[in-house]
Amino acid sequence: MGDPLIDSLISGFNSIMDYLSQHTLTCLIPAFFIAGAIAAFVKKEAVLKYFGPSVKKIKSYTIASVSGTILAVCSCTILPLFAGIYKKGSGIGPATTFLFAGPAINILAIVYTAQVLGYDLGAARAISAIALSIVVGLIMALVFSKHDKALLKEEKIFVAAQPSDPRPRWVVPIFFILLIAILLIGASKLEWVPKLAAIYVLTIIVAVLLIYYFEKDEVTNWAMETWDLTKKIFPILIAGTFIVGVIAYFLPPETFRPYLGDNSIGSNLLASVIGAILYMPTLLEVPIIGTTFGYSTGVMASGPALSLLLSGPTTSLPSLIVLYRIIGAKKTFVYWISVVLISTAAGLIYGALVG
């Protein structure tokens, strides 16, 4: 029998090596470049101007539910964005839809979830986050309808400036399509020769677009945004993965089987509550679910895994304290309990569908 301390450190080191070898080159690096491009080339004002209480619901809720993908925010940066649009007069429904969906459908998180935990769970996470964020927003708008009525009465309607772009309208969409194609081909199971050839051709086209349609300062800003996201997230991911590996040594996944190993209401509710309280930096929820709770080894059931993936990035004890200071105790509690219950319901449905 070896030394527990040494063995636990080896377990943490092995966990890091496993994730780096399987996911870094083909998944995280292209995803960081896409997230950096979103931060550099997509203006927040172009999205947030649709959140006012007088905007048609179908438009405001739809944009709020998918803008997390466009803005590429993480769980820590969503709060100041939410506070900004809320204080400027956004409707309570679209604002909380944005608050829920923003970190839940972060493109990094979705890609990483699909790559590590499986494409079915990754797709379920993306679809559920979009649909359920609208449900949460509608609940908040219904419960606190006086908030929006007061805004309309005071004519305090959120309006953001529309930025201008000198480029042809097709350039930026094609640019992002090319980047996403590089990510998808890089993460595919193609042979290395055709895979590298396709990535090489796409990279050349991206370079041509950058040379002819983007200013030097914009490209520099893209590189800086990519580096900024990388240095903020990657070290935490590595440190978190190491800690998860160490914890897995002392608390093997089998420990959680009696609590999270089936698709019962209790298991889904417990997973949802854990996610809604525990603070998990962006992306770290994936190795926690895969390794610590044992989803990758079949210990954690699919329903609780989805429940935790939905509630985890959306709320935590620290974020609830910040929310309390922004919107008050009553709205914070209704938001939190809505997140817990609908995440539980989503887990139950998903668990019943996939087993």
Side-chain angles (χ1 to χ4, degrees), residues 278-293:
L278 184 66
Y279 173 72
M280 295 180 285
T282 300
L283 304 186
L284 198 55
E285 72 274 12
V286 176
I288 286 176
I289 290 172
T291 303
T292 305
F293 292 129

Side-chain angles (χ1 to χ4, degrees), residues 203-249:
T203 305
I204 293 295
I205 300 173
V206 169
V208 170
L209 286 178
L210 289 173
I211 292 171
Y212 287 101
Y213 293 102
F214 291 84
E215 300 292 335
K216 183 180 178 181
D217 289 345
E218 291 179 310
V219 179
T220 302
N221 187 37
W222 177 30
M224 294 301 294
E225 291 286 355
T226 301
W227 170 240
D228 186 57
L229 284 169
T230 304
K231 71 181 182 182
K232 281 180 179 175
I233 295 175
F234 195 67
I236 296 175
L237 181 63
I238 294 299
T241 302
F242 176 78
I243 294 171
V244 165
V246 172
I247 293 174
Y249 175 81

Side-chain angles (χ1 to χ4, degrees), residues 34-326:
I34 293 174
I38 291 170
F41 301 131
V42 177
K43 305 299 182 187
K44 294 182 179 66
E45 293 83 358
V47 175
L48 303 183
K49 70 173 183 175
Y50 296 105
F51 291 179
S54 61
V55 178
K56 289 184 178 178
K57 283 186 172 56
I58 184 68
K59 180 187 291 185
S60 61
Y61 282 88
T62 300
I63 293 175
S65 67
V66 300
S67 54
T69 305
I70 301 170
L71 298 175
V73 292
C74 64
S75 56
C76 53
T77 56
I78 191 70
L79 287 171
L81 282 175
F82 169 78
I85 63 173
Y86 181 77
K87 290 181 178 179
K88 286 185 177 181
S90 168
I92 185 70
T96 47
T97 294
F98 172 73
L99 178 64
F100 181 100
I105 58 169
N106 182 323
I107 191 167
L108 281 170
I110 295 300
V111 171
Y112 194 46
T113 301
Q115 186 77 4
V116 177
L117 302 180
Y119 290 98
D120 52 347
L121 190 56
R125 179 183 184 179
I127 295 169
S128 299
I130 292 172
L132 299 183
S133 67
I134 295 175
V135 175
V136 169
L138 291 173
I139 292 173
M140 293 294 289
L142 180 65
V143 175
F144 301 103
S145 58
K146 291 182 179 178
H147 172 86
D148 291 351
K149 291 178 180 175
L151 288 177
L152 290 169
K153 190 175 181 180
E154 297 171 8
E155 296 184 347
K156 183 185 175 184
I157 299 174
F158 176 64
V159 176
Q162 176 65 52
S164 61
D165 190 341
R167 280 180 289 269
R169 298 182 67 175
W170 59 267
V171 172
V172 173
I174 292 297
F175 176 75
F176 277 104
I177 289 172
L178 290 169
L179 291 181
I180 293 171
I182 291 174
L183 169 66
L184 295 177
I185 293 173
S188 71
K189 299 186 183 302
L190 286 174
E191 295 293 331
W192 278 103
V193 172
K195 179 186 293 188
L196 291 178
I199 292 175
Y200 177 77
V201 171
L202 293 171
T203 305
I204 293 295
I205 300 173
V206 169
V208 170
L209 286 178
L210 289 173
I211 292 171
Y212 287 101
Y213 293 102
F214 291 84
E215 300 292 335
K216 183 180 178 181
D217 289 345
E218 291 179 310
V219 179
T220 302
N221 187 37
W222 177 30
M224 294 301 294
E225 291 286 355
T226 301
W227 170 240
D228 186 57
L229 284 169
T230 304
K231 71 181 182 182
K232 281 180 179 175
I233 295 175
F234 195 67
I236 296 175
L237 181 63
I238 294 299
T241 302
F242 176 78
I243 294 171
V244 165
V246 172
I247 293 174
Y249 175 81
F250 293 106
L251 289 174
E254 285 295 332
T255 307
F256 301 99
R257 186 185 289 278
Y259 312 105
L260 303 171
D262 57 47
N263 289 309
S264 65
I265 294 177
S267 295
N268 282 283
L269 180 60
L270 177 62
S272 184
V273 171
I274 291 173
I277 294 176
L278 184 66
Y279 173 72
M280 295 180 285
T282 300
L283 304 186
L284 198 55
E285 72 274 12
V286 176
I288 286 176
I289 290 172
T291 303
T292 305
F293 292 129
Y295 177 77
S296 299
T297 54
V299 173
M300 187 183 198
S302 54
L306 180 61
S307 295
L308 207 157
L309 280 173
L310 291 172
S311 64
T314 305
T315 64
S316 65
L317 191 56
S319 71
L320 291 173
I321 295 172
V322 176
L323 270 182
Y324 162 72
R325 302 192 63 174
I326 298 172

